[in-house]
Amino acid sequence: MRIHVQTILLCLFFINNLWAQNGLERYTISGYIRETGSQEALIGVNVYLPGTTTGTTTNTYGFYSLTLPAQDSVRLAYSFVGYEMAGQAISLRTNQTVNIFLTPGRSLAEVDVKAGRLTEKVSESAQMSSIEIPVSQIKKIPAFFGEKDVLKVLQLMPGVQKGSEGQTGIYVRGGGPDQNLIILDDAVVYNASHLFGFFSVFNGDAIKSVELIKGGFPARYGGRLSSVIDLNMKDGNREKLHGEGGIGLIASRLVLEGPLTKNKKGSFLISGRRTYLDILAAPLIRAQSGGSLTAGYYFYDLNAKANYDFGPKNKVYLSGYFGRDRFYANDKTADTDTGLSWGNATGTLRWNHLFNQKLFSNLSLIFSDYKFQISSVEKSTQDAETYSLYYNSGIRDFSLKYDLDFYPNPQHSVRMGIQSTYHRFTPSAVVLQNASINQSINNVNNIDVLESGIYAEDTWRPSSRWRVNGGLRLSYFQQKDVAYVRPEPRLSAAYILKPDLSIKASYALMNQYVHLLSNTGIGLPTDLWVPTTDRVKPQQSQQVAIGMAKDFTTGGSFTNGLTLTVEGYYKSMSNIINYKEGASFLLINDPTSANSVRWEDNVTAGRGWSYGAEFLLQKKVGRFSGWAGYTLSWTQWQFAELNGGKPYYPRYDRRHDVSLVGIYDLNKRVTLSAVWVYGTGNALTVPVGRYETYRPSNALVYGGTPGIVQSFFQNVRTADDYGTQKNSFRAEAYHRFDVSIQFHKQKKHHERTWEISVYNLYNRRNPFFYRLESVAATSTTPTRTALFRYSVFPVVPAVSYNFKF
């Protein structure tokens, strides 16, 4: 590692000297940009020379660097959504360190929007297919049961499909749920769902920023085909102790943050959230069972983070997440205990080092662990037998990551780095014990693999009209004697036709070495993570996109801060895997044989393709904000051993998808918001008919008359006929309307907010699943079989109380 780092630094020094040989004396302005009152580092702040296209943005840690020609006086502007703009006059005759503090709140006024750009214009960025949503906006959007959810807000964006009613599953541009790289402070989160997918694991009060990338992926990201969801936790308040939280119908949460030491060089943050569904339901369950049954479900999660500055050039961050879902049932009558639990644990230790004003580095040690467990214990007091069954699966990662940010001049912003991850997969771990016969079986099937990558990318401004981000990632994977080395070129470019209007294009090749096996397609915890092996190849995708971007920076108060993006894309995917017909990795009838059957025997490999167009009109600032999104798309899969080898539409293929989101600050005390969504129904496989089978009885049954057979057949069985075409049935369209109103009040020492929200206001009975059922005969109709639609959530009102101090 040391040799590689020294080589990289030597190359950067050589490149910097070449760029400097242009006959002009140049100096560098660099520093950190933080929030006034908390010293929270701000990501993506726009730093620029007013009236020009020269500028840069802060990185993940709030650092910026801008090299300019020498001059007696230069004035830089600093702007960010949700903050008052700031300016700084500088005499540029030597390198300067300029740290800036931005004051939150005032950019909501239209006068601040007119003063200059609040973020880098979408028309001036080389990056496309990327969406950032201010966390302050997420907190104002109506939510299911009043629980603010980052992933459900992302589902409202074009190109992103939801799984089923209420689910947090993310399906991006035809990709499956395993094709999304979800990162929290550099750590991968493998299962991001609570309550069987109805809530995500991310507590919005602890999140600082969220970015979704659907295509044109920068080279620093790898390992997935469809999207990157990059989340960063808050650093913590360095000035004073601060807290915020909320009490809802099913869960409560609390965040505390403050300085670590009196010198304000460090801070901490800790947050917790827990549902109390088990406490509310326990009395009802005991009453209905006569006291013989105890059952419940709950989830909780914890976020913690600490950071400290060891001088101006070294900073250390330590962050972690731990969450768990648990369902339990104890039946005293049957003397059984049943349990189901799953959860994530992550930890990240990061060291920032500033070599000089142009070169910033970060070293990360990362841990991620996901576990799923089923337990069943059955006791018999009659013969003193005890039978225990434990089924486990999971994935555990240890990663080392080193990144460099290099800012040689305003035309170039270079990033490069290396990452290596040691994976341990446990797709099957069965423990069986039977005390009566002294039987104990412990089958653990661990798979160890190594996944690495090295990358370099450059955001380049070759002229006033061109913006280019080019890069190359080289990925490496090894599992026993199987190894893959694959290059992944990336390119995004924008051509500025005129101020505030540009056309864009991108290409990205991605490889994925881990896979998710799912029977349901809705992201349940029973889905299994498995690696590439000697029999299962890596997934690969190629995606091209073209589009246009428009910033509305002049005009009335309504259009200020408004952006419009229109994109078309085509994506092909190869070596995607799926279960064979009727296959399941969890062998219910004979779980002890799971170790003797390789999971590869139950899967089949195929290909897929997706194409479509996306429209997004977004406004992040002003008294009225929100967005309108529309997606037109087609997605198909093809497997040799499924659907007779013919292409078919996967479950989450949707032809049309519409989302309208509006937020209006009526005044300082009242905020109104509403969401309306519409989507073409899911593609499903449902029975097309039902037939009956009969089995002869073991003995003849005679009636009252000797020798006359009354009944010869018994045990009538029914079976459903699913036809020959997979997912040939299209569910009814999905649509709903959500509203909320927030009442804010600023007290002397704290702020409180009451929120009243209604999910599915007009009580649309959206389909959750379909089933064939028999309809009894009437006086006018015979007995018949009909397809019934079942819904889950009618209109759902919610009330929550939120506070800050």
Side-chain angles (χ1 to χ4, degrees):
M1 173 64 76
R2 182 177 179 83
I3 295 176
H4 288 306
V5 172
Q6 289 177 341
T7 302
I8 292 173
L9 293 177
L10 182 62
C11 292
L12 291 178
F13 178 77
F14 177 71
I15 294 171
N16 185 40
N17 285 340
L18 286 180
W19 274 324
Q21 304 304 316
N22 55 11
L24 294 176
E25 191 175 14
R26 293 175 177 267
Y27 296 103
T28 301
I29 307 167
S30 66
Y32 291 86
I33 301 180
R34 301 182 182 274
E35 180 186 76
T36 301
S38 69
Q39 295 195 39
E40 181 84 33
L42 299 178
I43 304 171
V45 176
N46 198 31
V47 183
Y48 63 99
L49 286 173
T52 72
T53 59
T54 301
T56 186
T57 57
T58 57
N59 67 8
T60 305
Y61 306 96
F63 176 79
Y64 76 97
S65 176
L66 190 61
T67 300
L68 300 171
Q71 47 193 302
D72 291 331
S73 179
V74 60
R75 185 174 182 83
L76 291 182
Y78 303 83
S79 61
F80 191 51
V81 171
Y83 291 79
E84 181 181 356
M85 293 183 61
Q88 182 71 39
I90 303 165
S91 176
L92 201 56
R93 291 298 178 183
T94 183
N95 292 333
Q96 299 280 346
T97 298
V98 180
N99 298 319
I100 297 295
F101 292 87
L102 296 183
T103 302
R106 284 189 56 194
S107 69
L108 291 177
E110 301 300 339
V111 63
D112 293 314
V113 180
K114 296 176 183 177
R117 52 184 176 180
L118 292 171
T119 59
E120 183 180 21
K121 292 181 179 179
V122 65
S123 59
E124 293 183 1
S125 172
Q127 179 66 50
M128 65 182 305
S129 307
S130 175
I131 298 173
E132 295 183 23
I133 308 174
V135 175
S136 59
Q137 214 174 37
I138 293 175
K139 292 183 177 182
K140 296 178 181 179
I141 295 174
F144 181 58
F145 275 113
E147 294 294 315
K148 305 304 181 182
D149 199 311
V150 172
L151 295 189
K152 286 190 176 180
V153 173
L154 293 180
Q155 289 177 346
L156 301 174
M157 290 298 174
V160 182
Q161 311 293 345
K162 61 185 69 64
S164 300
E165 171 76 57
Q167 299 281 316
T168 57
I170 297 291
Y171 303 86
V172 180
R173 289 185 172 177
D178 64 322
Q179 295 178 0
N180 305 308
L181 180 63
I182 303 177
I183 309 170
L184 179 64
D185 276 3
D186 277 346
V188 176
V189 178
Y190 284 96
N191 188 306
S193 298
H194 281 315
L195 192 58
F196 300 95
F198 289 111
F199 298 102
S200 78
V201 301
F202 303 114
N203 183 352
D205 291 341
I207 299 298
K208 176 167 61 175
S209 67
V210 55
E211 181 183 14
L212 168 68
I213 303 176
K214 303 175 293 182
F217 303 96
R220 59 186 178 274
Y221 297 113
R224 298 295 188 274
L225 301 189
S226 293
S227 79
V228 176
I229 303 174
D230 195 351
L231 301 105
N232 289 278
M233 289 172 52
K234 292 179 180 177
D235 297 331
N237 195 313
R238 293 192 176 196
E239 296 290 337
K240 59 182 179 179
L241 183 66
H242 172 75
E244 63 179 300
I247 302 172
L249 292 181
I250 63 172
S252 292
R253 63 192 188 278
L254 178 65
V255 177
L256 291 175
E257 54 182 321
L260 276 177
T261 59
K262 293 182 179 180
N263 59 14
K264 300 181 181 180
K265 289 188 175 182
S267 61
F268 75 90
L269 177 142
I270 183 168
S271 75
R273 179 176 58 163
R274 191 192 191 277
T275 183
Y276 22 78
L277 287 173
D278 54 330
I279 300 174
L280 297 175
L284 180 62
I285 294 174
R286 283 197 299 267
Q288 290 184 341
S289 63
S292 63
L293 178 63
T294 301
Y297 165 84
Y298 65 86
F299 71 77
Y300 65 89
D301 44 45
L302 297 170
N303 295 76
K305 190 170 185 178
N307 65 89
Y308 192 80
D309 291 357
F310 292 91
K313 292 190 175 184
N314 294 283
K315 306 178 190 300
V316 174
Y317 298 81
L318 177 63
S319 60
Y321 165 83
F322 183 81
R324 184 70 59 190
D325 288 65
R326 184 170 182 263
F327 169 81
Y328 59 91
N330 178 270
D331 191 338
K332 295 180 180 178
T333 303
D335 209 1
T336 60
D337 278 306
T338 303
L340 176 68
S341 67
W342 69 94
N344 301 273
T346 70
T348 307
L349 176 63
R350 293 182 286 186
W351 168 41
N352 292 173
H353 178 67
L354 192 61
F355 287 98
N356 55 52
Q357 290 188 300
K358 296 183 179 181
L359 184 59
F360 179 95
S361 72
N362 178 73
L363 176 65
S364 298
L365 301 176
I366 308 164
F367 170 78
S368 180
D369 187 36
Y370 169 69
K371 290 181 180 179
F372 165 71
Q373 183 183 71
I374 299 175
S375 64
S376 178
V377 178
E378 183 177 352
K379 301 177 182 178
S380 176
T381 56
Q382 184 176 359
D383 49 17
E385 285 190 357
T386 300
Y387 175 83
S388 302
L389 172 65
Y390 298 93
Y391 175 86
N392 300 279
S393 70
I395 177 173
R396 185 182 66 192
D397 294 350
F398 292 96
S399 301
L400 177 65
K401 184 170 178 278
Y402 189 74
D403 301 284
L404 291 168
D405 292 358
F406 180 49
Y407 307 91
N409 56 47
Q411 285 71 46
H412 291 272
S413 178
V414 181
R415 292 187 177 186
M416 58 181 62
I418 186 171
Q419 179 173 1
S420 187
T421 301
Y422 171 78
H423 300 284
R424 167 161 285 186
F425 293 84
T426 309
S428 173
V430 179
V431 178
L432 173 66
Q433 293 180 336
N434 192 327
S436 64
I437 59 176
N438 196 27
Q439 181 189 31
S440 180
I441 299 175
N442 191 338
N443 290 335
V444 179
N445 184 21
N446 292 329
I447 305 174
D448 297 330
V449 302
L450 180 67
E451 181 180 358
S452 302
I454 185 170
Y455 75 90
E457 63 177 88
D458 183 14
T459 301
W460 179 33
R461 299 186 178 191
S463 70
S464 60
R465 290 186 177 271
W466 280 100
R467 304 289 185 269
V468 180
N469 180 282
L472 177 67
R473 184 180 184 90
L474 188 67
S475 62
Y476 172 79
F477 178 87
Q478 183 173 8
Q479 193 265 326
K480 292 183 178 179
D481 296 330
V482 179
Y484 291 92
V485 179
R486 292 189 169 182
E488 302 176 8
R490 318 285 175 82
L491 180 64
S492 296
Y495 180 74
I496 301 175
L497 296 172
K498 59 180 182 179
D500 304 327
L501 177 65
S502 66
I503 57 173
K504 298 185 178 185
S506 68
Y507 168 81
L509 187 150
M510 309 289 284
N511 289 288
Q512 181 169 330
Y513 299 99
V514 299
H515 319 274
L516 187 67
L517 298 180
S518 174
N519 281 111
T520 64
I522 59 175
L524 293 179
T526 51
D527 298 342
L528 303 177
W529 286 96
V530 292
T532 293
T533 67
D534 55 336
R535 295 170 56 185
V536 176
K537 295 181 180 180
Q539 301 179 57
Q540 188 176 84
S541 73
Q542 297 187 70
Q543 182 179 166
V544 294
I546 187 170
M548 59 82 66
K550 168 68 176 176
D551 291 280
F552 297 89
T553 57
T554 59
S557 60
F558 177 80
T559 58
N560 276 323
L562 195 67
T563 62
L564 171 66
T565 57
V566 180
E567 295 184 9
Y569 72 92
Y570 180 86
K571 179 169 68 175
S572 64
M573 299 169 283
S574 60
N575 298 321
I576 58 177
I577 66 173
N578 204 344
Y579 275 119
K580 296 178 181 177
E581 293 288 359
S584 173
F585 189 70
L586 182 57
L587 304 178
I588 301 296
N589 294 329
D590 187 12
T592 60
S593 68
N595 197 45
S596 62
V597 179
R598 293 187 63 175
W599 62 266
E600 295 99 319
D601 297 330
N602 288 335
V603 303
T604 179
R607 66 190 186 102
W609 53 95
S610 179
Y611 54 92
E614 299 167 3
F615 167 98
L616 176 63
L617 185 66
Q618 186 177 22
K619 192 172 190 291
K620 297 181 182 180
V621 298
R623 291 181 63 184
F624 178 80
S625 62
W627 63 87
Y630 170 69
T631 305
L632 173 67
S633 65
W634 289 262
T635 300
Q636 285 187 296
W637 282 3
Q638 185 175 22
F639 297 86
E641 299 183 63
L642 296 178
N643 199 44
K646 299 177 182 178
Y648 67 92
Y649 296 110
R651 176 189 180 96
Y652 42 83
D653 168 74
R654 280 185 170 172
R655 198 68 58 245
H656 305 281
D657 196 83
V658 181
S659 60
L660 302 176
V661 179
I663 303 169
Y664 184 65
D665 293 309
L666 189 63
N667 51 51
K668 292 183 178 180
R669 299 188 60 181
V670 180
T671 298
L672 307 175
S673 60
V675 172
W676 185 77
V677 296
Y678 172 89
T680 303
N682 290 335
L684 305 174
T685 300
V686 300
V688 296
R690 173 172 287 181
Y691 58 90
E692 294 183 342
T693 61
Y694 299 86
R695 188 173 64 181
S697 63
N698 295 326
L700 296 180
V701 179
Y702 294 94
T705 305
I708 302 300
V709 179
Q710 180 182 17
S711 176
F712 184 75
F713 292 101
Q714 292 180 344
N715 301 322
V716 177
R717 296 184 176 182
T718 62
D720 292 332
D721 180 9
Y722 286 90
T724 59
Q725 295 297 316
K726 187 176 179 66
N727 291 353
S728 58
F729 177 81
R730 185 67 68 168
E732 295 177 67
Y734 179 97
H735 56 88
R736 73 169 199 275
F737 182 52
D738 308 334
V739 296
S740 78
I741 181 170
Q742 294 180 346
F743 299 96
H744 313 280
K745 189 168 185 179
Q746 182 67 53
K747 299 285 189 177
K748 184 176 181 180
H749 298 293
H750 73 281
E751 177 186 348
R752 63 107 173 117
T753 300
W754 281 99
E755 180 175 6
I756 302 173
S757 62
V758 181
Y759 178 90
N760 194 12
L761 180 65
Y762 52 72
N763 199 28
R764 162 70 176 176
R765 297 303 179 98
N766 287 300
F768 191 72
F769 68 91
Y770 292 81
R771 189 173 70 177
L772 279 182
E773 294 184 6
S774 297
V775 180
T778 65
S779 58
T780 57
T781 59
T783 300
R784 58 191 177 90
T785 300
L787 186 66
F788 282 78
R789 177 196 67 193
Y790 286 86
S791 302
V792 179
F793 299 111
V795 55
V796 181
V799 178
S800 61
Y801 175 77
N802 304 288
F803 56 89
K804 294 181 180 180
F805 60 87

